[in-house]
Amino acid sequence: MIYKQPMFKNEELKDKVIVVTGGGSGLGESMTRYFLQLGAKVVITSRKLEKLNATAEKLRLETGGDVLTVACDVREYKAVENVLAETLDKFGKVDVLVNNAAGNFISPTERLSARAFDIIIDIVLKGSKNCTLAFGKHWIKTKQASATVLNIVTTYAWTGSAYVVPSATAKAGVLAMTRSLAVEWAKYGIRMNAIAPGPFPTKGAWDRLLPGELKEKFDIKKKVPLKRVGEHQELANLAAYLVSDYSAYVNGEVITIDGGEWLQGAGEFNMLEAVPQDLWDMLEMMIRSKKKD
Ligand code: HXC
Ligand code: NAP
């Protein structure tokens, strides 16, 4: 399948320095792998240094690329400033920030403590804000010619979703920040875009969103018109495009990559997918006969 293949083949990200938050696992790791294959230097950051170091070592062996690991809780502005300082120290500049780190779990909202709600808002919204503000200030102060922020949101940033309300609230804020700063910071050469993934299997997301028997009970593929989940490479392809100079005129955009999942949930009559083909002759006849009444 072509969508499982790398889209760019050469060193399209050569010499770019990219910081990926939450880069030690899941989609962050997959994006990092591809950025390295395309010649970028990548800094991966999250709370657990041991995990980051193991991922970095694996990716160095696989790609021969240059990866720096920095432990950072994105909720702490000082820790984020330290990521920036270590990046500049090692690579001399930074071109791209990917706000990918997130926290989430399913729960009826009334069962959440105030702290539990805060934790998700703080990781997703405050964390993305902390990184964007620290890096943006740096780019503006140093008059860097161009820079890019890529935010990983989800489709329920605009539809909302029951049972993941803190996450939906926070991702909606990140999307609003993306669109707002796309305009405000364009004059500084800073582009802001977002990707809204549908279901992409990762341990971090699926253990928390479909724990235990829920995995068997809800076949997530059935929610997707294309009847499959996402491949990490196809998301990495989109991310590579959005952080590359090929997308230089794309600004303030959120690109959905979900096989049509959210639209299937939204369309008033989409439930008619369940009607078997051979029933349509009869249904059409019934509808047409109404005209004669
Ligand atoms: C109710 C819960 C809970 C649960 C935790 N809490 N789990 N409340 N139901 N299932 C409460 C705790 O009791 C505590 O509140 C508060 O939340 C914080 O919990 P801690 O364990 O102390 O926090 P921490 O160790 O910082 O862990 C953060 C975390 C954890 C978010 C809870 O899951 C985590 O580290 N996640 C990181 C990775 C992740 O979530 N990846 C998935 C992203 S997927 P009290 O009041 O008791 O102190 C994603 C996909 C979206 O975003 C779209 C899919 C299609
Ligand atoms: P994941 O592997 O759990 O990724 C989340 C990452 O965030 C982890 O590496 C985690 O590392 C890091 N993180 C969590 N809290 C942090 C904090 N306070 N400070 C710094 N880093 C922190 O899950 P994933 O599925 O790859 O998710 C990646 C992104 O895709 C998220 O933004 C998620 O919302 C989005 N997304 C995923 C899906 C999907 O189906 N997988 C769908 C839609 C959107 P540490 O634990 O080491 O800190």
Side-chain angles (χ1 to χ4, degrees), residues 182-213:
V183 174
E184 192 180 325
W185 283 358
K187 59 182 172 288
Y188 302 119
I190 302 170
R191 288 190 300 127
M192 304 277 307
N193 289 298
I195 293 178
F200 282 76
T202 65
K203 189 167 167 21
W206 290 38
D207 282 359
R208 290 177 175 89
L209 303 175
L210 289 169
E213 286 176 6

mmCIF file of all heavy atoms in Angstrom, residues 182-213:
data_model
loop_
_atom_site.group_PDB
_atom_site.id
_atom_site.type_symbol
_atom_site.label_atom_id
_atom_site.label_comp_id
_atom_site.label_asym_id
_atom_site.label_seq_id
_atom_site.Cartn_x
_atom_site.Cartn_y
_atom_site.Cartn_z
ATOM 1 N N ALA A 182 -1.805 32.189 13.759
ATOM 2 C CA ALA A 182 -1.499 32.107 12.322
ATOM 3 C C ALA A 182 -1.583 33.501 11.710
ATOM 4 O O ALA A 182 -0.791 33.858 10.833
ATOM 5 C CB ALA A 182 -2.488 31.168 11.631
ATOM 6 N N VAL A 183 -2.521 34.286 12.200
ATOM 7 C CA VAL A 183 -2.680 35.651 11.695
ATOM 8 C C VAL A 183 -1.690 36.584 12.393
ATOM 9 O O VAL A 183 -0.941 37.316 11.752
ATOM 10 C CB VAL A 183 -4.138 36.119 11.917
ATOM 11 C CG1 VAL A 183 -4.295 37.587 11.539
ATOM 12 C CG2 VAL A 183 -5.094 35.249 11.105
ATOM 13 N N GLU A 184 -1.678 36.507 13.727
ATOM 14 C CA GLU A 184 -0.891 37.488 14.488
ATOM 15 C C GLU A 184 0.606 37.363 14.237
ATOM 16 O O GLU A 184 1.314 38.364 14.175
ATOM 17 C CB GLU A 184 -1.209 37.327 15.983
ATOM 18 C CG GLU A 184 -0.667 38.464 16.811
ATOM 19 C CD GLU A 184 -0.993 38.302 18.295
ATOM 20 O OE1 GLU A 184 -2.080 37.787 18.625
ATOM 21 O OE2 GLU A 184 -0.140 38.694 19.116
ATOM 22 N N TRP A 185 1.105 36.146 14.099
ATOM 23 C CA TRP A 185 2.551 35.963 13.982
ATOM 24 C C TRP A 185 3.043 35.742 12.538
ATOM 25 O O TRP A 185 4.236 35.558 12.325
ATOM 26 C CB TRP A 185 2.999 34.787 14.865
ATOM 27 C CG TRP A 185 3.065 35.149 16.331
ATOM 28 C CD1 TRP A 185 2.814 36.368 16.894
ATOM 29 C CD2 TRP A 185 3.421 34.273 17.414
ATOM 30 N NE1 TRP A 185 2.981 36.309 18.257
ATOM 31 C CE2 TRP A 185 3.361 35.030 18.611
ATOM 32 C CE3 TRP A 185 3.789 32.927 17.495
ATOM 33 C CZ2 TRP A 185 3.647 34.489 19.870
ATOM 34 C CZ3 TRP A 185 4.074 32.387 18.750
ATOM 35 C CH2 TRP A 185 4.003 33.167 19.915
ATOM 36 N N ALA A 186 2.135 35.800 11.578
ATOM 37 C CA ALA A 186 2.575 35.620 10.181
ATOM 38 C C ALA A 186 3.595 36.695 9.804
ATOM 39 O O ALA A 186 4.549 36.438 9.061
ATOM 40 C CB ALA A 186 1.368 35.677 9.250
ATOM 41 N N LYS A 187 3.411 37.892 10.357
ATOM 42 C CA LYS A 187 4.340 39.002 10.026
ATOM 43 C C LYS A 187 5.766 38.709 10.491
ATOM 44 O O LYS A 187 6.714 39.326 10.032
ATOM 45 C CB LYS A 187 3.843 40.329 10.605
ATOM 46 C CG LYS A 187 3.668 40.362 12.118
ATOM 47 C CD LYS A 187 3.124 41.721 12.555
ATOM 48 C CE LYS A 187 2.745 41.777 14.024
ATOM 49 N NZ LYS A 187 1.509 41.021 14.355
ATOM 50 N N TYR A 188 5.913 37.787 11.422
ATOM 51 C CA TYR A 188 7.256 37.388 11.888
ATOM 52 C C TYR A 188 7.777 36.157 11.141
ATOM 53 O O TYR A 188 8.800 35.580 11.525
ATOM 54 C CB TYR A 188 7.230 37.079 13.386
ATOM 55 C CG TYR A 188 6.762 38.239 14.235
ATOM 56 C CD1 TYR A 188 5.619 38.115 15.009
ATOM 57 C CD2 TYR A 188 7.463 39.450 14.253
ATOM 58 C CE1 TYR A 188 5.175 39.179 15.794
ATOM 59 C CE2 TYR A 188 7.018 40.513 15.027
ATOM 60 C CZ TYR A 188 5.879 40.372 15.791
ATOM 61 O OH TYR A 188 5.444 41.430 16.562
ATOM 62 N N GLY A 189 7.025 35.696 10.146
ATOM 63 C CA GLY A 189 7.456 34.518 9.381
ATOM 64 C C GLY A 189 7.138 33.204 10.080
ATOM 65 O O GLY A 189 7.688 32.153 9.735
ATOM 66 N N ILE A 190 6.245 33.267 11.074
ATOM 67 C CA ILE A 190 5.885 32.045 11.815
ATOM 68 C C ILE A 190 4.558 31.509 11.280
ATOM 69 O O ILE A 190 3.552 32.223 11.283
ATOM 70 C CB ILE A 190 5.759 32.329 13.337
ATOM 71 C CG1 ILE A 190 7.081 32.899 13.870
ATOM 72 C CG2 ILE A 190 5.348 31.056 14.091
ATOM 73 C CD1 ILE A 190 7.006 33.442 15.300
ATOM 74 N N ARG A 191 4.587 30.252 10.815
ATOM 75 C CA ARG A 191 3.349 29.592 10.370
ATOM 76 C C ARG A 191 2.831 28.702 11.495
ATOM 77 O O ARG A 191 3.614 28.128 12.248
ATOM 78 C CB ARG A 191 3.614 28.701 9.146
ATOM 79 C CG ARG A 191 3.887 29.451 7.876
ATOM 80 C CD ARG A 191 3.906 28.523 6.676
ATOM 81 N NE ARG A 191 4.923 27.480 6.743
ATOM 82 C CZ ARG A 191 4.675 26.172 6.597
ATOM 83 N NH1 ARG A 191 3.452 25.726 6.406
ATOM 84 N NH2 ARG A 191 5.668 25.298 6.646
ATOM 85 N N MET A 192 1.503 28.607 11.589
ATOM 86 C CA MET A 192 0.868 27.773 12.621
ATOM 87 C C MET A 192 -0.151 26.885 11.926
ATOM 88 O O MET A 192 -1.075 27.398 11.283
ATOM 89 C CB MET A 192 0.085 28.643 13.614
ATOM 90 C CG MET A 192 0.837 29.734 14.310
ATOM 91 S SD MET A 192 1.753 29.203 15.755
ATOM 92 C CE MET A 192 0.514 28.372 16.702
ATOM 93 N N ASN A 193 -0.010 25.576 12.067
ATOM 94 C CA ASN A 193 -0.990 24.654 11.497
ATOM 95 C C ASN A 193 -1.282 23.535 12.490
ATOM 96 O O ASN A 193 -0.585 23.390 13.503
ATOM 97 C CB ASN A 193 -0.470 24.074 10.177
ATOM 98 C CG ASN A 193 -0.458 25.113 9.074
ATOM 99 O OD1 ASN A 193 -1.507 25.640 8.694
ATOM 100 N ND2 ASN A 193 0.724 25.458 8.578
ATOM 101 N N ALA A 194 -2.296 22.746 12.174
ATOM 102 C CA ALA A 194 -2.667 21.633 13.063
ATOM 103 C C ALA A 194 -3.050 20.410 12.244
ATOM 104 O O ALA A 194 -3.490 20.532 11.095
ATOM 105 C CB ALA A 194 -3.836 22.040 13.953
ATOM 106 N N ILE A 195 -2.850 19.264 12.860
ATOM 107 C CA ILE A 195 -3.349 18.005 12.292
ATOM 108 C C ILE A 195 -4.392 17.463 13.267
ATOM 109 O O ILE A 195 -4.165 17.439 14.482
ATOM 110 C CB ILE A 195 -2.218 16.965 12.142
ATOM 111 C CG1 ILE A 195 -1.206 17.415 11.082
ATOM 112 C CG2 ILE A 195 -2.788 15.586 11.770
ATOM 113 C CD1 ILE A 195 -0.027 16.448 10.911
ATOM 114 N N ALA A 196 -5.511 17.015 12.725
ATOM 115 C CA ALA A 196 -6.545 16.366 13.556
ATOM 116 C C ALA A 196 -6.608 14.893 13.152
ATOM 117 O O ALA A 196 -7.270 14.544 12.172
ATOM 118 C CB ALA A 196 -7.886 17.049 13.347
ATOM 119 N N PRO A 197 -5.915 14.033 13.901
ATOM 120 C CA PRO A 197 -5.961 12.613 13.539
ATOM 121 C C PRO A 197 -7.255 11.957 14.023
ATOM 122 O O PRO A 197 -7.792 12.321 15.058
ATOM 123 C CB PRO A 197 -4.771 12.000 14.301
ATOM 124 C CG PRO A 197 -4.043 13.145 14.951
ATOM 125 C CD PRO A 197 -5.015 14.276 15.033
ATOM 126 N N GLY A 198 -7.706 10.987 13.279
ATOM 127 C CA GLY A 198 -8.728 10.059 13.771
ATOM 128 C C GLY A 198 -8.004 8.948 14.512
ATOM 129 O O GLY A 198 -6.913 9.162 15.039
ATOM 130 N N PRO A 199 -8.567 7.748 14.554
ATOM 131 C CA PRO A 199 -7.926 6.671 15.323
ATOM 132 C C PRO A 199 -6.648 6.119 14.679
ATOM 133 O O PRO A 199 -6.678 5.625 13.553
ATOM 134 C CB PRO A 199 -9.011 5.581 15.381
ATOM 135 C CG PRO A 199 -9.966 5.901 14.295
ATOM 136 C CD PRO A 199 -9.876 7.365 14.017
ATOM 137 N N PHE A 200 -5.561 6.280 15.416
ATOM 138 C CA PHE A 200 -4.257 5.707 15.045
ATOM 139 C C PHE A 200 -3.808 4.864 16.233
ATOM 140 O O PHE A 200 -3.589 5.416 17.319
ATOM 141 C CB PHE A 200 -3.224 6.809 14.785
ATOM 142 C CG PHE A 200 -3.348 7.474 13.449
ATOM 143 C CD1 PHE A 200 -4.344 8.403 13.221
ATOM 144 C CD2 PHE A 200 -2.465 7.174 12.407
ATOM 145 C CE1 PHE A 200 -4.471 9.019 11.975
ATOM 146 C CE2 PHE A 200 -2.582 7.782 11.172
ATOM 147 C CZ PHE A 200 -3.595 8.705 10.949
ATOM 148 N N PRO A 201 -3.665 3.555 16.077
ATOM 149 C CA PRO A 201 -3.306 2.736 17.238
ATOM 150 C C PRO A 201 -1.977 3.161 17.866
ATOM 151 O O PRO A 201 -0.961 3.221 17.172
ATOM 152 C CB PRO A 201 -3.180 1.321 16.651
ATOM 153 C CG PRO A 201 -3.923 1.374 15.361
ATOM 154 C CD PRO A 201 -3.830 2.776 14.857
ATOM 155 N N THR A 202 -2.039 3.520 19.145
ATOM 156 C CA THR A 202 -0.823 3.746 19.942
ATOM 157 C C THR A 202 -1.147 3.210 21.327
ATOM 158 O O THR A 202 -2.318 3.218 21.741
ATOM 159 C CB THR A 202 -0.470 5.246 20.087
ATOM 160 O OG1 THR A 202 -1.506 5.896 20.837
ATOM 161 C CG2 THR A 202 -0.284 5.954 18.761
ATOM 162 N N LYS A 203 -0.126 2.784 22.030
ATOM 163 C CA LYS A 203 -0.356 2.233 23.364
ATOM 164 C C LYS A 203 -0.930 3.316 24.290
ATOM 165 O O LYS A 203 -1.904 3.100 24.999
ATOM 166 C CB LYS A 203 0.966 1.675 23.911
ATOM 167 C CG LYS A 203 0.798 0.895 25.163
ATOM 168 C CD LYS A 203 2.031 0.095 25.500
ATOM 169 C CE LYS A 203 2.011 -0.458 26.896
ATOM 170 N NZ LYS A 203 0.725 -0.583 27.548
ATOM 171 N N GLY A 204 -0.308 4.493 24.244
ATOM 172 C CA GLY A 204 -0.703 5.582 25.144
ATOM 173 C C GLY A 204 -2.184 5.915 25.025
ATOM 174 O O GLY A 204 -2.891 6.019 26.026
ATOM 175 N N ALA A 205 -2.662 6.051 23.793
ATOM 176 C CA ALA A 205 -4.058 6.447 23.598
ATOM 177 C C ALA A 205 -4.993 5.263 23.826
ATOM 178 O O ALA A 205 -5.992 5.385 24.530
ATOM 179 C CB ALA A 205 -4.249 7.004 22.197
ATOM 180 N N TRP A 206 -4.672 4.122 23.285
ATOM 181 C CA TRP A 206 -5.661 3.036 23.263
ATOM 182 C C TRP A 206 -5.821 2.360 24.617
ATOM 183 O O TRP A 206 -6.907 1.907 24.948
ATOM 184 C CB TRP A 206 -5.360 2.069 22.099
ATOM 185 C CG TRP A 206 -5.665 2.763 20.794
ATOM 186 C CD1 TRP A 206 -5.418 4.085 20.525
ATOM 187 C CD2 TRP A 206 -6.316 2.254 19.638
ATOM 188 N NE1 TRP A 206 -5.856 4.405 19.269
ATOM 189 C CE2 TRP A 206 -6.408 3.298 18.697
ATOM 190 C CE3 TRP A 206 -6.808 0.994 19.293
ATOM 191 C CZ2 TRP A 206 -6.988 3.141 17.445
ATOM 192 C CZ3 TRP A 206 -7.385 0.835 18.031
ATOM 193 C CH2 TRP A 206 -7.474 1.898 17.125
ATOM 194 N N ASP A 207 -4.766 2.314 25.414
ATOM 195 C CA ASP A 207 -4.916 1.746 26.760
ATOM 196 C C ASP A 207 -5.818 2.618 27.628
ATOM 197 O O ASP A 207 -6.473 2.137 28.545
ATOM 198 C CB ASP A 207 -3.554 1.635 27.458
ATOM 199 C CG ASP A 207 -2.770 0.433 26.953
ATOM 200 O OD1 ASP A 207 -3.299 -0.297 26.081
ATOM 201 O OD2 ASP A 207 -1.631 0.234 27.408
ATOM 202 N N ARG A 208 -5.831 3.932 27.331
ATOM 203 C CA ARG A 208 -6.603 4.846 28.171
ATOM 204 C C ARG A 208 -8.001 5.104 27.625
ATOM 205 O O ARG A 208 -8.905 5.454 28.350
ATOM 206 C CB ARG A 208 -5.864 6.180 28.292
ATOM 207 C CG ARG A 208 -4.605 6.075 29.125
ATOM 208 C CD ARG A 208 -3.865 7.388 29.174
ATOM 209 N NE ARG A 208 -2.740 7.318 30.067
ATOM 210 C CZ ARG A 208 -1.523 6.938 29.679
ATOM 211 N NH1 ARG A 208 -1.280 6.606 28.419
ATOM 212 N NH2 ARG A 208 -0.531 6.889 30.552
ATOM 213 N N LEU A 209 -8.149 4.951 26.304
ATOM 214 C CA LEU A 209 -9.440 5.293 25.697
ATOM 215 C C LEU A 209 -10.291 4.063 25.406
ATOM 216 O O LEU A 209 -11.511 4.150 25.316
ATOM 217 C CB LEU A 209 -9.214 6.106 24.411
ATOM 218 C CG LEU A 209 -8.401 7.393 24.628
ATOM 219 C CD1 LEU A 209 -8.098 8.082 23.321
ATOM 220 C CD2 LEU A 209 -9.148 8.358 25.554
ATOM 221 N N LEU A 210 -9.632 2.922 25.247
ATOM 222 C CA LEU A 210 -10.368 1.675 25.016
ATOM 223 C C LEU A 210 -9.806 0.590 25.934
ATOM 224 O O LEU A 210 -9.272 -0.426 25.463
ATOM 225 C CB LEU A 210 -10.211 1.226 23.546
ATOM 226 C CG LEU A 210 -10.928 2.050 22.481
ATOM 227 C CD1 LEU A 210 -10.473 1.648 21.092
ATOM 228 C CD2 LEU A 210 -12.445 1.875 22.596
ATOM 229 N N PRO A 211 -9.912 0.780 27.255
ATOM 230 C CA PRO A 211 -9.305 -0.201 28.161
ATOM 231 C C PRO A 211 -10.083 -1.522 28.164
ATOM 232 O O PRO A 211 -11.289 -1.547 27.898
ATOM 233 C CB PRO A 211 -9.393 0.483 29.527
ATOM 234 C CG PRO A 211 -10.512 1.455 29.410
ATOM 235 C CD PRO A 211 -10.583 1.881 27.969
ATOM 236 N N GLY A 212 -9.352 -2.589 28.474
ATOM 237 C CA GLY A 212 -9.970 -3.904 28.689
ATOM 238 C C GLY A 212 -10.861 -4.344 27.553
ATOM 239 O O GLY A 212 -10.470 -4.302 26.384
ATOM 240 N N GLU A 213 -12.090 -4.718 27.922
ATOM 241 C CA GLU A 213 -13.017 -5.309 26.950
ATOM 242 C C GLU A 213 -13.573 -4.290 25.945
ATOM 243 O O GLU A 213 -14.188 -4.670 24.949
ATOM 244 C CB GLU A 213 -14.184 -5.960 27.681
ATOM 245 C CG GLU A 213 -13.790 -7.260 28.357
ATOM 246 C CD GLU A 213 -14.943 -7.846 29.159
ATOM 247 O OE1 GLU A 213 -16.060 -7.315 29.091
ATOM 248 O OE2 GLU A 213 -14.696 -8.838 29.874
#
